[in-house]
Amino acid sequence: MSVKQLQLDTAEQIVSRFALEGGLTEVCPYGNGHINDTFRFTCEASGGARKRYILQRINHHIFRKPGELMENIVNVTAYLRSVIASAGGDPERETLRVIPTRDGGHCYRDEEDGCWRIFPFIEGSICLEKVESAKDFYDSAVAFGNFQRMLADFPAQKLHETIPDFHHTPTRFRALEKAARADVCGRAAGVEAELAFAFARGGEASVLTDLLERGELPLRVTHNDTKLNNILFDEVSRKALCIIDLDTIMPGLVHYDFGDSIRFGASTGEEDETDLGRVELDLSLFEAFTEGYLKGCAGSLTEIEAALLPMGAKLMTYECGIRFLTDYLEGDTYFKIHRKGHNLDRARTQFKLVADMEEKWEDMCAIVKRCNQ
Ligand code: ADP
Ligand code: GN1
Ligand code: MG
C-alpha cells in the first residue's frame, strides 16, 4: 500500500463531522507509520487562533473492527488521564485524546467504508525515527515500563482483541509456511535463504506462548507496538512525553513490549537498511533500554519474566522478520512499502539482527541479570 494524499476539500468534509471549531487551513501527510494513513491539519477559529490536529484513516483491512479499537483507546486514555493527573502530570500532553464526532461517536465512517479519527496534535514534541543517543533510548524504556505499570490495574477484560494472535509467534510462523506454499506472486524461489533461516528457528517460536499457556508467565496489559516512533519526546527537555499508536493495546507479555523496542531501537541500522553489514545489535543500547525498562516497571516483573527478556528481544525480532517476509510473499498487502522489495529488505535486517543476537546471547543474558540485581 502506498501513502495516500488528501485534498483540502475532502479533508474539510471529513473534519466537519467532528466536534471542532473553526475552518481547516491546511492538511498534509504526516509521519512514517506502516499501517494507518496519517495527516496533520490546522484549524483556525473565528478569532484567528490556530490549533493543529492529527487525522487518521484507520486501516480497516488490518483492524477489522474499528469501533472496538476506538473503544479500547477511549477507555485506556481515560484511565491514563486520571493516573497522570493524580501523579501531577499534564494529561493533555502525556496521553492522546480522542476528539468526538458531532453525534458523539469516536470515529467517522465515510461512504467508502474508511474510518477516520482525530487527536489533538501534541505540540512541542518530537518523534524520533532512529535512536540518537543512549539517553533517549533509556528514557523511552522508562516510559514504556511505566506505561505497562500504569495500566497494571486496568480491567483487561474490558479490552477487545484488535488483531487476534498479534504476537502469537507460532501462528505467525504457520502463516509464513502457508505463504511460502501458496507462493501467489512467484517470489518464494528468490528467498530460499531467508525461508531456510526462518524455518530453522521454528522450534523456538513457541517458547514464550508455551510458558504463558502453562501459567508460568503472567498476562498483562501491553502496548504491543513499542517502536521508537510510537513515543513522543518533549522538544525542550527531551524527556519521553507521550506514548502513541494505541491500536494494539491488548493483554500480552512484557516481552512483546521489551522485545519490539529492542529490535527497532537497539539495531545499528534502520529497519529497511539494505547494507546488512551495518546491521547489528548494539549491546550498549540493549543495556540502556534494559536498565530503563526495569526501572519503569519498578520491581513489578517476576524473576522468570525478567530472565526471559533476551528471549523477548530475539522472538519479537524473529517474528517481525517473519511478518515482513510473509507480506513480501503475499504481494505486499499489509505493510506500506515505498520501493520494490521493501518488505524483503526489512525481513533481511530482522534476520540479520536475530543472527547477531544469537552471537551475543551470553552478553545479553548477563546484561539483563546485572540490571535486574
Ligand atoms: P501508524 O499506526 O501508522 O504507525 P501512528 O499512530 O503511529 O500511526 O502515527 C504515525 C506518526 O504520526 C507517529 O509516528 C508520529 O510521528 C505522528 N503522530 C501520531 N499521533 C500524533 C499526535 N497526537 N501528536 C503528534 N504527532 C503524532
Ligand atoms: C507496524 O503501525 P506501526 O508502523 O507503528 C506494525 C507493527 C510492526 C511495525 C514494524 C498494527 O507498526 O506490529 O512491528 O510496523 N503494526 C501493526 O515496523 O501491525
Ligand atoms: Mg506508529
Side-chain angles (χ1 to χ4, degrees), residues 30-40 53-54 56-57 63 95-97 117 119-123 125-129 225 227-232 242 244-247 336:
Y30 197 79
N32 291 303
H34 291 343
I35 305 296
N36 296 311
D37 294 326
T38 303
F39 305 89
R40 191 183 66 191
Y53 297 89
I54 286 285
Q56 278 182 325
R57 176 167 32 206
F63 296 107
T95 191
L96 293 174
R97 179 164 60 84
R117 67 180 173 204
F119 302 111
F121 181 81
I122 300 190
E123 296 292 349
S125 69
I126 49 171
C127 181
L128 303 175
E129 295 298 332
D225 190 1
K227 62 182 178 180
L228 191 69
N229 64 12
N230 285 332
I231 187 164
L232 302 176
C242 179
I244 59 170
D245 204 342
L246 306 177
D247 297 336
K336 284 181 185 165

Side-chain angles (χ1 to χ4, degrees), residues 163-179:
I163 301 181
D165 292 326
F166 190 56
H167 283 310
H168 195 272
T169 314
T171 301
R172 299 291 190 182
F173 182 81
R174 286 191 286 277
L176 176 65
E177 287 183 314
K178 195 166 156 219

Side-chain angles (χ1 to χ4, degrees), residues 14-88:
I14 297 162
V15 170
S16 72
R17 305 294 177 135
F18 289 81
L20 284 178
E21 271 192 43
L24 198 127
T25 58
E26 51 162 0
V27 62
C28 57
Y30 197 79
N32 291 303
H34 291 343
I35 305 296
N36 296 311
D37 294 326
T38 303
F39 305 89
R40 191 183 66 191
F41 70 92
T42 307
C43 258
E44 188 171 313
S46 48
R50 287 169 164 236
K51 203 165 161 27
R52 299 196 290 184
Y53 297 89
I54 286 285
L55 169 67
Q56 278 182 325
R57 176 167 32 206
I58 301 170
N59 186 328
H60 66 275
H61 300 290
I62 290 176
F63 296 107
R64 308 309 286 256
K65 294 179 179 167
E68 290 191 359
L69 178 156
M70 290 309 292
E71 213 176 289
N72 278 1
I73 297 185
V74 166
N75 286 333
V76 166
T77 52
Y79 185 90
L80 287 173
R81 246 194 309 284
S82 75
V83 178
I84 292 166
S86 42

Side-chain angles (χ1 to χ4, degrees), residues 182-207:
D183 194 18
V184 290
C185 299
R187 292 177 172 177
V191 294
E192 273 176 10
E194 288 75 11
L195 286 171
F197 183 95
F199 292 155
R201 285 154 182 81
E204 232 173 11
S206 66
V207 169

